[in-house]
Amino acid sequence: MRSQNDSRSRHEAWVTTRERSLRDPEGWLSLVALHWLPTGRMTVLASSGVSSETCLVLPGAPASPTARFLLEDTGSLRVTIPSGVQATIDGDAMATETPIIMRSDEAPTASILRSGRLHVTHIHRQDRSALRVRDREAPTLMRHRGVPRFDFDPEHIVSARFVPANPGTTIPITLITEHVEAHPVKGTLHFELDGRPLSMLAQPSGEDLFVVFGDQTNQAPGDHGTYGGGRFLSVPRPDRNGLTTIDFNRAVNPPCSFTPHATCPTPPTCNRLPLPVTAGERRPS
């Protein structure tokens, strides 16, 4: 009994941390735009439309353009801030009318442009560049009141055996945008759930493992339904004997369940479990 109480207490602490991360003013709930950039054209971010250019409407921006972005054929993205606008990049004040290169998320650390309540980053997907725009006062963030969850169930904490993949192994993963990417495979997790032997492929995530999985709750209606695009799991690094623990109570909704501006991976066929997993986060309300 004490072990179950300890597990529940740890779970409640984890839920508190999870909800705090969702309420981060620069987290996924503040994402308001994903703007794909045309190569070689100037893209203007403005508070009002500019008919001759591709535009994003940024809440709280001044009447004049907030920033000008030029994507070069090499994939380098240059940003210029006009006179009268205050902005920082990577924490340093930007000089006006002076082009600065914005590193994408392919670099070890992506550049962060901040202006007022806005947070802009440069991402790279499928040989395309985009601006990811966050707003500290985004409606999705302001109206968030917590994620629905199944009740904590210790039966959904299971032991797993990890079998490493050969170095360089990849698997095609379809993104929510319907594009396909090759993702590295760290290995396979073998476990039992509801008395059934199952397995899932795991990707590397620092020292731990990352799993995108689906199950029969993904399309279920009502209180037993989860997000149709699957859920994410972080699994602790296996020990020297290849053993670890999967806690399905910590299955979380992907960012794309909260915003249409994310580019989440969907579960590969081998990670679609043939049973309902009634643990973890349910479909966002």
Side-chain angles (χ1 to χ4, degrees):
M1 180 64 69
R2 181 175 179 179
S3 177
Q4 287 192 15
N5 289 338
D6 289 345
S7 294
R8 185 178 295 275
S9 295
R10 288 194 296 270
H11 177 70
E12 290 172 353
W14 176 86
V15 168
T16 299
T17 300
R18 163 69 173 165
E19 285 293 343
R20 185 181 301 121
S21 71
L22 286 173
R23 291 186 172 91
D24 185 334
E26 293 185 351
W28 288 110
L29 291 178
S30 66
L31 189 61
V32 294
L34 180 66
H35 186 59
W36 298 103
L37 299 174
T39 302
R41 285 180 54 192
M42 189 70 75
T43 301
V44 179
L45 275 66
S47 59
S48 60
V50 181
S51 60
S52 62
E53 302 289 356
T54 304
C55 299
L56 270 178
V57 176
L58 298 183
S64 59
T66 300
R68 300 190 300 272
F69 294 87
L70 177 62
L71 181 64
E72 300 174 347
D73 292 336
T74 59
S76 179
L77 180 65
R78 296 180 182 274
V79 56
T80 304
I81 299 299
S83 299
V85 172
Q86 294 184 345
T88 65
I89 190 163
D90 300 328
D92 296 326
M94 296 181 65
T96 60
E97 303 299 344
T98 304
I100 297 176
I101 292 179
M102 283 189 71
R103 298 183 307 275
S104 78
D105 60 353
E106 288 189 317
T109 304
S111 296
I112 299 176
L113 169 66
R114 290 186 174 90
S115 180
R117 70 196 216 198
L118 302 176
H119 169 292
V120 183
T121 53
H122 173 203
I123 71 168
H124 194 81
R125 299 288 185 275
Q126 302 89 38
D127 296 324
R128 297 187 301 166
S129 284
L131 296 178
R132 178 173 276 165
V133 184
R134 289 177 167 89
D135 179 356
R136 297 172 66 91
E137 298 180 16
T140 48
L141 179 62
M142 296 294 99
R143 64 173 176 254
H144 180 68
R145 295 297 181 269
V147 179
R149 291 179 172 81
F150 292 101
D151 291 338
F152 174 75
D153 182 2
E155 297 298 318
H156 279 89
I157 304 175
V158 299
S159 298
R161 178 173 57 88
F162 177 72
V163 178
N166 292 327
T169 299
T170 62
I171 185 173
I173 295 290
T174 302
L175 305 185
I176 200 71
T177 58
E178 299 185 356
H179 292 90
V180 178
E181 292 182 340
H183 284 211
V185 174
K186 189 72 172 180
T188 304
L189 292 162
H190 297 273
F191 59 99
E192 286 191 6
L193 189 62
D194 290 345
R196 302 178 64 170
L198 301 166
S199 64
M200 298 186 297
L201 289 183
Q203 301 176 43
S205 178
E207 294 295 324
D208 295 331
L209 304 173
F210 173 69
V211 176
V212 183
F213 79 99
D215 67 272
Q216 291 181 351
T217 67
N218 291 159
Q219 302 297 337
D223 291 343
H224 292 287
T226 59
Y227 177 63
R231 290 181 287 172
F232 293 174
L233 266 174
S234 179
V235 178
R237 176 180 58 178
D239 64 19
R240 65 181 63 184
N241 297 314
L243 301 179
T244 186
T245 300
I246 302 174
D247 187 351
F248 285 98
N249 294 286
R250 298 188 180 187
V252 300
N253 293 315
C256 52
S257 69
F258 301 105
T259 172
H261 306 298
T263 58
C264 303
T266 62
T269 301
C270 56
N271 282 10
R272 297 184 183 274
L273 304 179
L275 78 178
V277 179
T278 53
E281 294 183 351
R282 294 187 279 116
R283 185 183 299 113
S285 55

